Amino acid sequence: MNPRLLLLTLCQGLLMVNNVTFIAINGLVGLALAPSGWLATLPITGYVAGGALATGLVARHQRLWGRRRAFQLGLLVAMASAAVCAVAASTRNFWLLVAATMVAGYYNANGSLYRFAAVELVTPAFKERAISWVLAGGILGGVVGPNLAQWSRGLLEQPFAGAYLALCAVALLSLTLISFIHFPPLPGQGQAASGRPLGEIVRQPIFLVSTAACAIGYGIMNLLMAATPIAMQQCQHPFSAAALVLEWHVLAMFVPSFFTGRLIKRFGALPVMGVGLLLNLGCILFALHGNDVMHFLGALIALGVGWNFLFIGGTTMATEAWRPEERTRAQAAVDFCVYFTMTLTSFASGALVTTGGWTAMNLGALLPLALLAAALGWLALRRRRAGPGHSASA
């Protein structure tokens, strides 16, 4: 395996350790500190909203300083914001916790570009596998994240405050690894943005549908995953059971990455995304069947695999929508849509699960999935009419 790709895969894994730990604890810490129960997932919302707000800034930093320096800055922000989260939890300051998670969103937006940077480390023929392999690093997050939350929850007097300090060490390790990766210079690095206007890029059908797959796939996954620890607590399941469900969910998100790239290479991105959509529907059907631990486990496993197919398929297809000199702006536009959708779903997650319950939340997920099904069908029909050898982006 390409050594640089291996290091980037490990950095992706450590990013997911951070994200899974945040998901596992932020809702519960928020529930303990929030002035009202429906605000419980606001710290999770702050994290993804911070990512949405930072996408443009991250794109500028990547274009001005290159991949490595921008990634290093993101990890420094991760360390500082995790330390402030620990202070906020220890002093029971809910709004400081929300503010710190918003700042941490810069790291989230930065790290989300690891999958695009992977393409630059290999030849074009291996881009699907490079994206899959880097995202497979999330397996580390699936194994370590929930266990780190479980192990560190009692390190300090205030529950989970020690978990935030543990994330400082995780970011420091990632900072060390990223410093050994040499990324090729970006086209136009250090210069003003060039290429087509962003509006022209995003109006392409291939951009619209691939971004919708990434955004809705991530949004639905975030909606249900963020609420899972709270929903399981409401059902009187212990935190250890919630940690187990999250561990298997994240493994389901990333283990398929070992073969998703090959499936896309063989069958195409659209069919793979279609299967991902069906798996999301399967998740909802499983969740509506009952509230035992096994029901949560089965639903979250289907959700994880469905996310994998939608996100990797959408990411791979999106790379066809821009020219080399346009990549930083176009990638920022994709991720802005992803984080904007996640912001809405993470906030709705807390409100729905504490007011309407787990069942209402799953039923509410059907509408965006129906919209995505329509978008995938529209692009497939457009490509069929265009015939072989014609671009669906025109």
Side-chain angles (χ1 to χ4, degrees), residues 71-83 100 102-107 110 171:
F71 288 151
Q72 288 171 330
L73 177 60
L75 288 159
L76 291 173
V77 171
M79 293 169 62
S81 57
M102 284 195 71
V103 173
Y106 180 91
Y107 168 50
N110 227 313

Side-chain angles (χ1 to χ4, degrees), residues 22-49 94-95 97-98 101-102 222-231 234 342-354 361:
F22 262 21
I23 291 292
I25 69 176
N26 272 356
L28 296 175
V29 175
L31 188 63
L33 303 184
S36 179
W38 64 273
L39 293 173
T41 55
L42 197 56
I44 300 175
T45 304
Y47 187 50
V48 294
F94 177 73
W95 296 110
L97 178 66
V98 173
T101 57
M102 284 195 71
N222 190 62
L223 175 77
L224 300 179
M225 184 173 72
T228 294
I230 297 174
Q234 290 175 335
M342 289 175 66
T343 300
L344 297 178
T345 57
S346 59
F347 183 76
S349 179
L352 287 172
V353 77
T354 55
M361 179 181 308

Side-chain angles (χ1 to χ4, degrees), residues 299-340:
L300 269 288
I301 288 175
L303 181 67
V305 180
W307 170 88
N308 181 280
F309 286 2
L310 284 172
F311 193 65
I312 295 181
T315 296
T316 302
M317 182 182 287
T319 61
E320 303 172 20
W322 54 73
R323 301 167 185 165
E325 67 273 15
E326 299 165 347
R327 71 181 68 181
T328 54
R329 290 180 298 129
Q331 290 166 5
V334 172
D335 282 347
F336 175 80
C337 294
V338 170
Y339 286 123
F340 180 77

